[in-house]
Amino acid sequence: MLDISILGKWLFLGGLAIVVFGGLIWIAGRVGVPWGQLPGDIHIERDGLSIHFPLFRCVLLSIFLTVVLNLIVWLWRR
């Protein structure tokens, strides 16, 4: 059975992670980070075809989620 205090702790930590991530995105937007044109993004345009694959953003998101999930697993096993 799940203890309600553990659930409360996880909800708090999840909310805190969302606030931190949102704050980083907000600050990056204020500084002028060009989110739409990051280096490493693949963009192909031809007649009748337009493909955009945000490769660099996928790598950044993967690194961020790996760190967050490893932190959660580490805290869970403590």
Side-chain angles (χ1 to χ4, degrees), residues 47-77:
D47 294 335
L49 177 68
S50 178
I51 299 173
H52 181 75
F53 184 71
L55 184 63
F56 189 68
R57 262 181 274 176
C58 290
V59 171
L60 285 178
L61 184 62
S62 175
I63 291 170
F64 174 76
L65 289 175
T66 299
V67 169
V68 168
L69 290 175
N70 279 319
L71 182 63
I72 289 171
V73 167
W74 180 74
L75 288 172
W76 187 265
R77 291 185 180 177

Side-chain angles (χ1 to χ4, degrees), residues 8 19 23-24 28 42 44:
V19 168
L24 290 174
I42 298 171
I44 300 171

Side-chain angles (χ1 to χ4, degrees), residues 6 17-18 20-21 26 29 40 48 73:
I6 293 174
I18 290 172
V20 168
F21 188 61
W26 177 65
V73 167

